[in-house]
Amino acid sequence: MTKIFNILTFAVVLAFSVKTFALESSDILQIQILKAYDKNVLVLNRGLEDAIFKKDHIKITSDEGFIARGICIRATMLTSHWKIYRVIRPELVSKDTQYDMYSINQSKLPDDMLKLSSVNLEKYFKNYGDKDVKKQLKSQQKRIAKYDLPTRVSDTDTFKDANKTGFDRFLEKNLNNENLAEDISNTYLDIYASPMTWQTRYDQKETHYGARLYNKGKKYQYEMNAIETQREVLDPVTAKGFKSKSTHYDAHFQINRSSKNWSLISYLSYDREKIGSIYYPHKYTQVGILGLKYHVWEDDPKDNFFEISYIPMFDNLEYSDPQKTDLDISTREGIRHVLRLKLYSQLSTKIHSKTEISYSPYMNLKGFGVDYSDSNTKVQTSLSYNLGTDFYADYLLQYDSDQFRADTYDMRADNTTQTIRLRYEFDL
């Protein structure tokens, strides 16, 4: 009887211990991948003794940043099986690397993962524990013992790697044709239209439509935008009503994570707008060959991150000059130092917010002095709601200030635009 009582007491204590020491959101465990199955199932070297249980929800990171998210589908004393449902940087997944595991049990699972967590998948996987780990280590030691050492130290990979210059390492890490081809092919297209827009500068309604072509590359990322806008406005020169049309194109290119927290960026844009009898701009071209982006924080490179970038832009503006006869075209060339902040947040499974702030003081090429009074400022924030598969409704609020335009045409510098648009995104 005493023996039975002791067994029951131990079971109760164990049950309360499991509950007390379950994986908490503040816990950080160092992990290693022991085995990889098909369909993104990984075996990790943590199990029940580390307070890991079936249905636990985690994210995996390394020194390079966020790697993946997963849900536990099987746990034994020393190991656990995980279904990885969001892999951000698969090139960093390796059996030779140690990672950090964070509990995110407080985060909501996607619907398909929620269903998967209730399915018993144990029969599809063999147990992988201490015996397998020891067997694998013994096999590796045998292979090392039988390995024929090179006759010359200079022929070893270690020697060659140790003697690479910093520039060689940079090129090897950031310029890879295979990665470029793979990343470029991973392309998506957004098509959107705005049924209604309001602006404070013209106090008129307008419509705009456009498209965005971009990729979700791991190393190389690009984005191209094209926007056409039609509106009815008041001509600031003739004071007559008319219809106007503006065009905007831009393109971005990024070599992602050239070092731990830094990326290299390039940017170019083209704008053209006719307002009655004047052009502002007739042609406006900005070209930034090389800039830097610092990744302050990143949980998901698409929806959850904060970054700061700087890039010098060659700034060429052609516009109708009211000081000349018949509004002849004048040209101004200089450099704008563009400082930009981006904060993207996933507020829920269906709602995303995006905020971008840019500040661009002008520098004249003749005197090379920076004119901070001539600084284009833009602030744009948006809320996106997922209406269904790949279909979104967006609300955009944008503020911009152009002091040169205000001085040239004797009009207000700032403008606030509100836009409601419908957007469809699909994989090419």
Side-chain angles (χ1 to χ4, degrees), residues 91-115:
E91 78 277 8
L92 298 180
V93 178
S94 169
K95 291 183 180 180
D96 300 324
T97 305
Q98 280 198 333
Y99 303 94
D100 290 329
M101 171 198 288
Y102 295 79
S103 171
I104 52 172
N105 285 328
Q106 74 281 3
S107 299
K108 184 178 178 181
L109 281 168
D111 293 339
D112 54 342
M113 290 297 105
L114 195 61
K115 295 177 182 178

PDB file of all heavy atoms in Angstrom, residues 91-115:
ATOM      1  N   GLU A  91      18.742  29.395 -46.151  1.00  0.00           N
ATOM      2  CA  GLU A  91      20.165  29.191 -46.398  1.00  0.00           C
ATOM      3  C   GLU A  91      20.973  29.140 -45.098  1.00  0.00           C
ATOM      4  O   GLU A  91      22.132  28.702 -45.092  1.00  0.00           O
ATOM      5  CB  GLU A  91      20.709  30.294 -47.317  1.00  0.00           C
ATOM      6  CG  GLU A  91      20.970  31.622 -46.652  1.00  0.00           C
ATOM      7  CD  GLU A  91      19.730  32.495 -46.513  1.00  0.00           C
ATOM      8  OE1 GLU A  91      18.627  31.988 -46.800  1.00  0.00           O
ATOM      9  OE2 GLU A  91      19.856  33.670 -46.130  1.00  0.00           O
ATOM     10  N   LEU A  92      20.356  29.582 -43.984  1.00  0.00           N
ATOM     11  CA  LEU A  92      21.050  29.571 -42.696  1.00  0.00           C
ATOM     12  C   LEU A  92      20.727  28.337 -41.860  1.00  0.00           C
ATOM     13  O   LEU A  92      21.219  28.199 -40.741  1.00  0.00           O
ATOM     14  CB  LEU A  92      20.684  30.830 -41.901  1.00  0.00           C
ATOM     15  CG  LEU A  92      21.078  32.162 -42.530  1.00  0.00           C
ATOM     16  CD1 LEU A  92      20.658  33.311 -41.641  1.00  0.00           C
ATOM     17  CD2 LEU A  92      22.576  32.222 -42.794  1.00  0.00           C
ATOM     18  N   VAL A  93      19.886  27.435 -42.396  1.00  0.00           N
ATOM     19  CA  VAL A  93      19.514  26.223 -41.665  1.00  0.00           C
ATOM     20  C   VAL A  93      20.565  25.156 -41.901  1.00  0.00           C
ATOM     21  O   VAL A  93      20.805  24.743 -43.029  1.00  0.00           O
ATOM     22  CB  VAL A  93      18.126  25.720 -42.103  1.00  0.00           C
ATOM     23  CG1 VAL A  93      17.770  24.426 -41.368  1.00  0.00           C
ATOM     24  CG2 VAL A  93      17.073  26.787 -41.839  1.00  0.00           C
ATOM     25  N   SER A  94      21.216  24.695 -40.831  1.00  0.00           N
ATOM     26  CA  SER A  94      22.304  23.736 -40.955  1.00  0.00           C
ATOM     27  C   SER A  94      22.429  22.916 -39.673  1.00  0.00           C
ATOM     28  O   SER A  94      22.155  23.412 -38.569  1.00  0.00           O
ATOM     29  CB  SER A  94      23.620  24.465 -41.237  1.00  0.00           C
ATOM     30  OG  SER A  94      24.711  23.593 -41.114  1.00  0.00           O
ATOM     31  N   LYS A  95      22.870  21.672 -39.810  1.00  0.00           N
ATOM     32  CA  LYS A  95      23.125  20.823 -38.650  1.00  0.00           C
ATOM     33  C   LYS A  95      24.379  21.268 -37.893  1.00  0.00           C
ATOM     34  O   LYS A  95      24.589  20.863 -36.749  1.00  0.00           O
ATOM     35  CB  LYS A  95      23.287  19.367 -39.094  1.00  0.00           C
ATOM     36  CG  LYS A  95      22.008  18.718 -39.599  1.00  0.00           C
ATOM     37  CD  LYS A  95      22.259  17.264 -39.950  1.00  0.00           C
ATOM     38  CE  LYS A  95      20.992  16.602 -40.464  1.00  0.00           C
ATOM     39  NZ  LYS A  95      21.213  15.175 -40.815  1.00  0.00           N
ATOM     40  N   ASP A  96      25.210  22.065 -38.518  1.00  0.00           N
ATOM     41  CA  ASP A  96      26.482  22.477 -37.913  1.00  0.00           C
ATOM     42  C   ASP A  96      26.379  23.781 -37.127  1.00  0.00           C
ATOM     43  O   ASP A  96      27.380  24.296 -36.651  1.00  0.00           O
ATOM     44  CB  ASP A  96      27.544  22.639 -39.005  1.00  0.00           C
ATOM     45  CG  ASP A  96      27.785  21.350 -39.770  1.00  0.00           C
ATOM     46  OD1 ASP A  96      27.734  20.278 -39.134  1.00  0.00           O
ATOM     47  OD2 ASP A  96      28.009  21.418 -40.990  1.00  0.00           O
ATOM     48  N   THR A  97      25.176  24.331 -37.020  1.00  0.00           N
ATOM     49  CA  THR A  97      24.999  25.633 -36.385  1.00  0.00           C
ATOM     50  C   THR A  97      24.142  25.522 -35.135  1.00  0.00           C
ATOM     51  O   THR A  97      23.196  24.725 -35.099  1.00  0.00           O
ATOM     52  CB  THR A  97      24.332  26.618 -37.361  1.00  0.00           C
ATOM     53  OG1 THR A  97      25.101  26.690 -38.562  1.00  0.00           O
ATOM     54  CG2 THR A  97      24.218  28.013 -36.748  1.00  0.00           C
ATOM     55  N   GLN A  98      24.475  26.300 -34.117  1.00  0.00           N
ATOM     56  CA  GLN A  98      23.633  26.390 -32.930  1.00  0.00           C
ATOM     57  C   GLN A  98      22.687  27.574 -33.075  1.00  0.00           C
ATOM     58  O   GLN A  98      23.068  28.639 -33.552  1.00  0.00           O
ATOM     59  CB  GLN A  98      24.483  26.560 -31.668  1.00  0.00           C
ATOM     60  CG  GLN A  98      25.083  25.250 -31.151  1.00  0.00           C
ATOM     61  CD  GLN A  98      25.529  25.369 -29.706  1.00  0.00           C
ATOM     62  OE1 GLN A  98      25.859  26.445 -29.245  1.00  0.00           O
ATOM     63  NE2 GLN A  98      25.531  24.245 -29.005  1.00  0.00           N
ATOM     64  N   TYR A  99      21.448  27.374 -32.641  1.00  0.00           N
ATOM     65  CA  TYR A  99      20.425  28.398 -32.753  1.00  0.00           C
ATOM     66  C   TYR A  99      19.845  28.702 -31.376  1.00  0.00           C
ATOM     67  O   TYR A  99      20.046  27.954 -30.421  1.00  0.00           O
ATOM     68  CB  TYR A  99      19.299  27.942 -33.685  1.00  0.00           C
ATOM     69  CG  TYR A  99      19.754  27.574 -35.071  1.00  0.00           C
ATOM     70  CD1 TYR A  99      20.049  26.250 -35.402  1.00  0.00           C
ATOM     71  CD2 TYR A  99      19.894  28.537 -36.058  1.00  0.00           C
ATOM     72  CE1 TYR A  99      20.481  25.909 -36.674  1.00  0.00           C
ATOM     73  CE2 TYR A  99      20.320  28.211 -37.331  1.00  0.00           C
ATOM     74  CZ  TYR A  99      20.613  26.889 -37.626  1.00  0.00           C
ATOM     75  OH  TYR A  99      21.046  26.566 -38.879  1.00  0.00           O
ATOM     76  N   ASP A 100      19.106  29.790 -31.304  1.00  0.00           N
ATOM     77  CA  ASP A 100      18.352  30.138 -30.103  1.00  0.00           C
ATOM     78  C   ASP A 100      16.881  29.871 -30.350  1.00  0.00           C
ATOM     79  O   ASP A 100      16.336  30.249 -31.397  1.00  0.00           O
ATOM     80  CB  ASP A 100      18.546  31.607 -29.739  1.00  0.00           C
ATOM     81  CG  ASP A 100      19.958  31.890 -29.236  1.00  0.00           C
ATOM     82  OD1 ASP A 100      20.549  30.974 -28.633  1.00  0.00           O
ATOM     83  OD2 ASP A 100      20.460  33.011 -29.455  1.00  0.00           O
ATOM     84  N   MET A 101      16.226  29.216 -29.380  1.00  0.00           N
ATOM     85  CA  MET A 101      14.800  28.920 -29.463  1.00  0.00           C
ATOM     86  C   MET A 101      14.053  29.798 -28.456  1.00  0.00           C
ATOM     87  O   MET A 101      14.405  29.855 -27.283  1.00  0.00           O
ATOM     88  CB  MET A 101      14.542  27.442 -29.156  1.00  0.00           C
ATOM     89  CG  MET A 101      13.064  27.093 -29.003  1.00  0.00           C
ATOM     90  SD  MET A 101      12.812  25.505 -28.152  1.00  0.00           S
ATOM     91  CE  MET A 101      13.344  24.364 -29.422  1.00  0.00           C
ATOM     92  N   TYR A 102      13.021  30.490 -28.938  1.00  0.00           N
ATOM     93  CA  TYR A 102      12.182  31.330 -28.089  1.00  0.00           C
ATOM     94  C   TYR A 102      10.753  30.789 -28.098  1.00  0.00           C
ATOM     95  O   TYR A 102      10.222  30.448 -29.155  1.00  0.00           O
ATOM     96  CB  TYR A 102      12.140  32.781 -28.596  1.00  0.00           C
ATOM     97  CG  TYR A 102      13.450  33.514 -28.552  1.00  0.00           C
ATOM     98  CD1 TYR A 102      14.417  33.312 -29.535  1.00  0.00           C
ATOM     99  CD2 TYR A 102      13.724  34.420 -27.535  1.00  0.00           C
ATOM    100  CE1 TYR A 102      15.625  33.985 -29.498  1.00  0.00           C
ATOM    101  CE2 TYR A 102      14.927  35.110 -27.499  1.00  0.00           C
ATOM    102  CZ  TYR A 102      15.874  34.889 -28.484  1.00  0.00           C
ATOM    103  OH  TYR A 102      17.054  35.559 -28.456  1.00  0.00           O
ATOM    104  N   SER A 103      10.128  30.740 -26.938  1.00  0.00           N
ATOM    105  CA  SER A 103       8.726  30.358 -26.890  1.00  0.00           C
ATOM    106  C   SER A 103       7.850  31.520 -27.329  1.00  0.00           C
ATOM    107  O   SER A 103       8.031  32.655 -26.890  1.00  0.00           O
ATOM    108  CB  SER A 103       8.337  29.961 -25.457  1.00  0.00           C
ATOM    109  OG  SER A 103       6.939  29.795 -25.348  1.00  0.00           O
ATOM    110  N   ILE A 104       6.909  31.245 -28.233  1.00  0.00           N
ATOM    111  CA  ILE A 104       5.907  32.248 -28.632  1.00  0.00           C
ATOM    112  C   ILE A 104       4.515  31.626 -28.505  1.00  0.00           C
ATOM    113  O   ILE A 104       3.657  31.776 -29.373  1.00  0.00           O
ATOM    114  CB  ILE A 104       6.161  32.780 -30.057  1.00  0.00           C
ATOM    115  CG1 ILE A 104       6.300  31.637 -31.076  1.00  0.00           C
ATOM    116  CG2 ILE A 104       7.372  33.668 -30.103  1.00  0.00           C
ATOM    117  CD1 ILE A 104       6.352  32.121 -32.510  1.00  0.00           C
ATOM    118  N   ASN A 105       4.325  30.901 -27.384  1.00  0.00           N
ATOM    119  CA  ASN A 105       3.032  30.245 -27.160  1.00  0.00           C
ATOM    120  C   ASN A 105       1.884  31.240 -27.073  1.00  0.00           C
ATOM    121  O   ASN A 105       0.720  30.878 -27.255  1.00  0.00           O
ATOM    122  CB  ASN A 105       3.091  29.407 -25.879  1.00  0.00           C
ATOM    123  CG  ASN A 105       3.886  28.126 -26.073  1.00  0.00           C
ATOM    124  OD1 ASN A 105       3.889  27.558 -27.165  1.00  0.00           O
ATOM    125  ND2 ASN A 105       4.577  27.686 -25.030  1.00  0.00           N
ATOM    126  N   GLN A 106       2.242  32.512 -26.766  1.00  0.00           N
ATOM    127  CA  GLN A 106       1.185  33.529 -26.681  1.00  0.00           C
ATOM    128  C   GLN A 106       0.726  33.997 -28.055  1.00  0.00           C
ATOM    129  O   GLN A 106      -0.311  34.645 -28.178  1.00  0.00           O
ATOM    130  CB  GLN A 106       1.679  34.728 -25.863  1.00  0.00           C
ATOM    131  CG  GLN A 106       2.682  35.620 -26.585  1.00  0.00           C
ATOM    132  CD  GLN A 106       4.081  35.054 -26.588  1.00  0.00           C
ATOM    133  OE1 GLN A 106       4.310  33.956 -26.087  1.00  0.00           O
ATOM    134  NE2 GLN A 106       5.024  35.802 -27.133  1.00  0.00           N
ATOM    135  N   SER A 107       1.484  33.687 -29.106  1.00  0.00           N
ATOM    136  CA  SER A 107       1.127  34.120 -30.462  1.00  0.00           C
ATOM    137  C   SER A 107       0.131  33.155 -31.085  1.00  0.00           C
ATOM    138  O   SER A 107       0.206  31.941 -30.878  1.00  0.00           O
ATOM    139  CB  SER A 107       2.381  34.204 -31.344  1.00  0.00           C
ATOM    140  OG  SER A 107       3.295  35.134 -30.828  1.00  0.00           O
ATOM    141  N   LYS A 108      -0.759  33.691 -31.887  1.00  0.00           N
ATOM    142  CA  LYS A 108      -1.772  32.864 -32.531  1.00  0.00           C
ATOM    143  C   LYS A 108      -1.180  32.087 -33.686  1.00  0.00           C
ATOM    144  O   LYS A 108      -0.416  32.609 -34.478  1.00  0.00           O
ATOM    145  CB  LYS A 108      -2.918  33.740 -33.041  1.00  0.00           C
ATOM    146  CG  LYS A 108      -4.075  32.930 -33.643  1.00  0.00           C
ATOM    147  CD  LYS A 108      -5.204  33.840 -34.100  1.00  0.00           C
ATOM    148  CE  LYS A 108      -6.321  33.017 -34.737  1.00  0.00           C
ATOM    149  NZ  LYS A 108      -7.421  33.877 -35.220  1.00  0.00           N
ATOM    150  N   LEU A 109      -1.547  30.806 -33.776  1.00  0.00           N
ATOM    151  CA  LEU A 109      -1.101  29.967 -34.878  1.00  0.00           C
ATOM    152  C   LEU A 109      -1.926  30.222 -36.129  1.00  0.00           C
ATOM    153  O   LEU A 109      -3.118  30.524 -36.034  1.00  0.00           O
ATOM    154  CB  LEU A 109      -1.222  28.490 -34.505  1.00  0.00           C
ATOM    155  CG  LEU A 109      -0.139  27.881 -33.622  1.00  0.00           C
ATOM    156  CD1 LEU A 109      -0.581  26.510 -33.136  1.00  0.00           C
ATOM    157  CD2 LEU A 109       1.165  27.754 -34.386  1.00  0.00           C
ATOM    158  N   PRO A 110      -1.335  30.101 -37.328  1.00  0.00           N
ATOM    159  CA  PRO A 110      -2.146  30.111 -38.553  1.00  0.00           C
ATOM    160  C   PRO A 110      -3.175  28.984 -38.515  1.00  0.00           C
ATOM    161  O   PRO A 110      -2.970  27.958 -37.858  1.00  0.00           O
ATOM    162  CB  PRO A 110      -1.111  29.886 -39.661  1.00  0.00           C
ATOM    163  CG  PRO A 110       0.182  30.321 -39.067  1.00  0.00           C
ATOM    164  CD  PRO A 110       0.099  29.989 -37.610  1.00  0.00           C
ATOM    165  N   ASP A 111      -4.271  29.170 -39.235  1.00  0.00           N
ATOM    166  CA  ASP A 111      -5.364  28.202 -39.172  1.00  0.00           C
ATOM    167  C   ASP A 111      -4.935  26.798 -39.560  1.00  0.00           C
ATOM    168  O   ASP A 111      -5.333  25.808 -38.927  1.00  0.00           O
ATOM    169  CB  ASP A 111      -6.519  28.659 -40.077  1.00  0.00           C
ATOM    170  CG  ASP A 111      -7.177  29.923 -39.556  1.00  0.00           C
ATOM    171  OD1 ASP A 111      -7.026  30.205 -38.348  1.00  0.00           O
ATOM    172  OD2 ASP A 111      -7.813  30.634 -40.340  1.00  0.00           O
ATOM    173  N   ASP A 112      -4.099  26.662 -40.611  1.00  0.00           N
ATOM    174  CA  ASP A 112      -3.691  25.326 -41.034  1.00  0.00           C
ATOM    175  C   ASP A 112      -2.792  24.657 -40.003  1.00  0.00           C
ATOM    176  O   ASP A 112      -2.862  23.444 -39.786  1.00  0.00           O
ATOM    177  CB  ASP A 112      -2.992  25.374 -42.397  1.00  0.00           C
ATOM    178  CG  ASP A 112      -1.827  26.353 -42.403  1.00  0.00           C
ATOM    179  OD1 ASP A 112      -1.780  27.213 -41.506  1.00  0.00           O
ATOM    180  OD2 ASP A 112      -0.989  26.240 -43.302  1.00  0.00           O
ATOM    181  N   MET A 113      -1.958  25.428 -39.308  1.00  0.00           N
ATOM    182  CA  MET A 113      -1.117  24.865 -38.256  1.00  0.00           C
ATOM    183  C   MET A 113      -1.936  24.511 -37.025  1.00  0.00           C
ATOM    184  O   MET A 113      -1.624  23.568 -36.299  1.00  0.00           O
ATOM    185  CB  MET A 113      -0.020  25.856 -37.866  1.00  0.00           C
ATOM    186  CG  MET A 113       1.043  26.049 -38.927  1.00  0.00           C
ATOM    187  SD  MET A 113       1.984  24.542 -39.273  1.00  0.00           S
ATOM    188  CE  MET A 113       1.274  24.074 -40.863  1.00  0.00           C
ATOM    189  N   LEU A 114      -2.991  25.271 -36.779  1.00  0.00           N
ATOM    190  CA  LEU A 114      -3.871  24.988 -35.654  1.00  0.00           C
ATOM    191  C   LEU A 114      -4.536  23.624 -35.822  1.00  0.00           C
ATOM    192  O   LEU A 114      -4.665  22.841 -34.873  1.00  0.00           O
ATOM    193  CB  LEU A 114      -4.930  26.086 -35.532  1.00  0.00           C
ATOM    194  CG  LEU A 114      -5.715  26.150 -34.223  1.00  0.00           C
ATOM    195  CD1 LEU A 114      -4.777  26.414 -33.049  1.00  0.00           C
ATOM    196  CD2 LEU A 114      -6.775  27.241 -34.301  1.00  0.00           C
ATOM    197  N   LYS A 115      -4.934  23.313 -37.050  1.00  0.00           N
ATOM    198  CA  LYS A 115      -5.527  21.995 -37.327  1.00  0.00           C
ATOM    199  C   LYS A 115      -4.474  20.901 -37.218  1.00  0.00           C
ATOM    200  O   LYS A 115      -4.752  19.815 -36.705  1.00  0.00           O
ATOM    201  CB  LYS A 115      -6.150  22.008 -38.729  1.00  0.00           C
ATOM    202  CG  LYS A 115      -7.328  22.953 -38.882  1.00  0.00           C
ATOM    203  CD  LYS A 115      -7.834  22.962 -40.320  1.00  0.00           C
ATOM    204  CE  LYS A 115      -8.985  23.953 -40.484  1.00  0.00           C
ATOM    205  NZ  LYS A 115      -9.458  24.008 -41.898  1.00  0.00           N
TER     206      LYS A 115
END
